[in-house]
C-alpha cells in the first residue's frame, strides 16, 4: 500500500530493493481504500513504484485489494507508461 507515510521516491526505491532482496517476481501495487481518491503525491509515487518495478523486471499489477472503489481514471494512469 502506498500511503502518506511512505509516498516518497526514497520509499519506493527502498521497497523495490527489498523486493529484489527477497527474490519476489510479482508485486501488487495498491492504495489505502479508506481513501479511494488518493492525493496527487500518492498517485505520483504509485507511478514511480510501478516504473522502478518494471525496470527491475519485476511484474507489477495494480489491483483493488479489498475494494473495487478505485476510479477508472486511476486504473488507467497505472496502466499507461509515464516514461519517455
Amino acid at each position: 500500500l502506498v500511503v502518506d507515510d511512505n509516498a516518497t521516491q526514497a520509499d519506493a526505491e527502498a521497497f523495490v530493493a527489498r523486493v529484489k532482496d527477497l527474490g519476489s517476481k510479482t508485486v501488487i501495487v495498491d492504495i489505502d481504500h479508506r481513501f479511494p481518491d488518493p492525493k496527487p503525491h500518492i498517485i505520483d509515487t504509485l507511478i514511480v513504484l510501478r516504473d522502478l518495478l518494471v525496470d527491475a523486471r519485476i511484474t507489477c499489477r495494480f489491483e483493488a485489494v479489498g475494494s473495487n472503489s478505485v476510479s477508472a481514471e486511476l486504473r488507467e494512469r497505472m496502466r499507461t507508461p509515464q516514461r519517455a
Side-chain angles (χ1 to χ4, degrees):
L1 290 177
V2 176
V3 296
D4 278 328
D5 293 343
N6 67 1
T8 68
Q9 174 91 22
D11 291 321
E13 290 170 356
F15 178 79
V16 172
R18 181 71 175 137
V19 169
K20 288 164 76 172
D21 287 346
L22 292 171
S24 297
K25 303 293 184 203
T26 301
V27 170
I28 297 172
V29 177
D30 199 2
I31 61 168
D32 186 337
H33 292 284
R34 294 175 297 164
F35 309 100
D37 204 16
K39 298 173 188 170
H41 75 281
I42 300 282
I43 295 171
D44 292 343
T45 301
L46 286 167
I47 292 168
V48 166
L49 182 57
R50 188 235 14 236
D51 289 346
L52 290 170
L53 290 164
V54 168
D55 288 350
R57 298 179 188 261
I58 298 168
T59 301
C60 174
R61 296 190 331 243
F62 179 70
E63 295 185 9
V65 176
S67 174
N68 289 320
S69 61
V70 177
S71 72
E73 177 184 354
L74 177 55
R75 286 181 188 278
E76 186 58 31
R77 285 191 68 189
M78 287 302 298
R79 288 187 185 104
T80 305
Q82 300 298 311
R83 292 189 182 168

